[in-house]
Every structure is written in C-alpha cells, then in structure tokens.
Amino acid sequence: MTSAKDYLDAANAEVPKMSAQDAIAKHAKGEGLFIDVRDSADIAKSGTIKGAERIPRGMMEFRADPAMEAFYNPRMKKDAEIYLICGAGGQAALTGKTLRDMGYTNVTNIGGFPGWKDAGGPTEN
C-alpha cells in the first residue's frame, strides 16, 4: 500500500525545487507562469504571488489538459516555465508530479507562500 509520504517522496524526487529568492528574481524578469495551488479560502487569508494564476490542486488536471475545453487554461503550455507554490511546499510538489506525468517538461516547486512573503516577493490579495 502506498502512503502519503511515499507520494510526497516520489514527487520531491522528480520535481525540482527553487529557493524563494531565485523564484522572486524569475518573477521580477517576467519569466514563467506562477501558479498558487492552494484553495481559494487559504489564498483569501494570506494573499498570493502578484499576478499568479490560482488553480487549486484538485482542478489542475482539468486546467492543464487542452481536451478539457470547458476548463483548460490556455496559459498552461506543455513547455512553459511553471513555478508552483502552496502553503508549505507539499501540494506544490504533488501538483508538479502530476503535471510532469501529463507531459509538462519545465515544472518547479518554489515551496510555501510564507517563504515567498518573508523573502520580500511581490504579493496581492
């Protein structure tokens, strides 16, 4: 039987991580698509990365698959630089693994939103 820890370990082994400082530098250059995978209630409490897409983890497969026309997010390109953030990094890792399984080639986990905010990254409500 596979545990949550097993899934998380596999995701962390496959999805590269980036420090908040390096991610902030990418954001400042306008590079990449930043996605917050937390639920809207969590984002409402803390805010998110300025300009980030808000795609909850439970909707990612629908937003990332062009065949799901009613839900697909056209900014989700298979070769796009995608930077994922969540509350602490776990959901971002799991989402990144899902995207890689779907054929996305450039997905990075930038950890939790508190780290972004503490590092001085731009935010919005």
Side-chain angles (χ1 to χ4, degrees):
M1 183 158 84
T2 306
S3 70
K5 183 182 181 313
D6 294 332
Y7 282 114
L8 191 55
D9 288 346
N12 282 323
E14 187 170 336
V15 179
K17 292 182 180 178
M18 178 181 283
S19 71
Q21 293 82 4
D22 289 344
I24 291 166
K26 293 271 187 188
H27 187 271
K29 292 178 184 176
E31 296 177 1
L33 174 62
F34 287 77
I35 302 174
D36 193 325
V37 302
R38 296 176 294 155
D39 291 330
S40 59
D42 289 334
I43 293 172
K45 290 177 191 173
S46 66
T48 190
I49 295 172
K50 185 175 182 177
E53 291 286 327
R54 300 166 187 208
I55 305 174
R57 180 171 175 247
M59 285 298 294
M60 187 58 69
E61 291 88 339
F62 300 100
R63 298 281 191 232
D65 185 350
M68 301 299 295
E69 294 176 13
F71 300 103
Y72 177 63
N73 181 329
R75 293 187 70 198
M76 299 284 301
K77 304 291 184 205
K78 299 273 185 188
D79 62 349
E81 288 181 50
I82 297 175
Y83 299 97
L84 302 170
I85 198 162
C86 63
Q91 287 184 5
L94 293 167
T95 302
K97 172 81 167 73
T98 297
L99 289 173
R100 290 183 56 100
D101 289 348
M102 293 179 73
Y104 284 79
T105 58
N106 195 355
V107 181
T108 303
N109 178 356
I110 60 172
F113 182 69
W116 174 273
K117 195 172 181 180
D118 290 348
T123 64
E124 67 184 22
N125 291 329

